[in-house]
Amino acid sequence: MKAEEHLNVCEEQVYKKIFNKTSKTIFNYIYYKFGNEEKANDAVQEAFVKLWENCSKVVPEKAKSYLYTVANNLYLNVIKAEKVRLKYAESTLKTTNETPEFLMEENQFKEKLENALNSLPENQRTTFLLNRIDGKKYAEIAEMDGVSVKAIEKRMHLALKSLREQIDGI
């Protein structure tokens, strides 16, 4: 028997270790789906509360997948209620040395990119952002979504193809 088999999620140090190891990744996963930092924080917090409430029923080895499932289900419930779309924080007005033409082109590109990302199906958008922004490997994304690595490869291929078609120069 492994020493870990005796560990229990109800033990504070085990719970803390799970939190420290997974909370940031789960937050990012949900944030990319929600596009809303506050709602992602709420979902992650709620998932960890549910883990604590059910700590005697969840073995440490299954805690990560339990948390992803709970957070994802919370996300799906909010989506049903609100039909939330991914949005990016509005860029604040700032003083710059860039020419007005450069800034206009930059804003047009950002808008094109945002529109192109928003037009992707949610699973392709999430896969793309987790891979390109968070640097997650396909196997990690597959584990988060509970699908095969081949499915993630296909999503990424379709996302890149769609983005290339919509944005010149990518």
Side-chain angles (χ1 to χ4, degrees), residues 11-149:
E11 293 174 34
E12 195 174 335
Q13 78 271 17
V14 175
Y15 183 83
K16 275 184 177 175
K17 186 177 179 185
I18 292 166
F19 179 85
N20 291 336
K21 202 171 174 184
T22 62
S23 62
K24 179 69 174 150
T25 305
I26 295 170
F27 167 82
N28 287 347
Y29 176 72
I30 298 301
Y31 175 67
Y32 293 148
K33 288 186 165 207
F34 275 124
N36 182 303
E37 196 172 333
E38 191 177 324
K39 288 184 174 92
N41 273 324
D42 290 348
V44 172
Q45 199 169 11
E46 181 88 15
F48 276 96
V49 167
K50 290 201 183 300
L51 176 63
W52 186 252
E53 289 171 349
N54 294 294
C55 65
S56 61
K57 300 174 195 162
V58 182
V59 294
E61 296 77 31
K62 299 288 183 191
K64 183 177 174 183
S65 94
Y66 175 85
L67 288 163
Y68 275 112
T69 301
V70 170
N72 194 52
N73 288 341
L74 290 164
Y75 156 74
L76 292 173
N77 290 339
V78 170
I79 285 299
K80 275 187 218 166
E82 297 180 12
K83 305 267 187 204
V84 176
R85 295 288 295 154
L86 182 67
K87 290 184 182 172
Y88 289 97
E90 298 289 322
S91 53
T92 56
L93 292 172
K94 54 188 183 274
T95 310
T96 180
N97 295 329
E98 304 294 350
T99 65
E101 293 80 15
F102 176 85
L103 292 173
M104 189 176 79
E105 285 177 24
E106 184 182 40
N107 286 336
Q108 286 172 344
F109 181 80
K110 281 182 186 172
E111 193 175 312
K112 263 188 184 178
L113 179 60
E114 185 175 328
N115 289 338
L117 285 169
N118 282 334
S119 73
L120 291 175
E122 176 240 305
N123 62 355
Q124 289 178 24
R125 181 178 60 244
T126 303
T127 297
F128 178 82
L129 292 171
L130 282 168
N131 177 257
R132 295 299 165 100
I133 304 299
D134 275 10
K136 295 291 176 204
K137 302 209 177 321
Y138 289 177
E140 292 174 290
I141 300 168
E143 182 187 350
M144 288 177 198
D145 273 358
V147 297
S148 71
V149 173

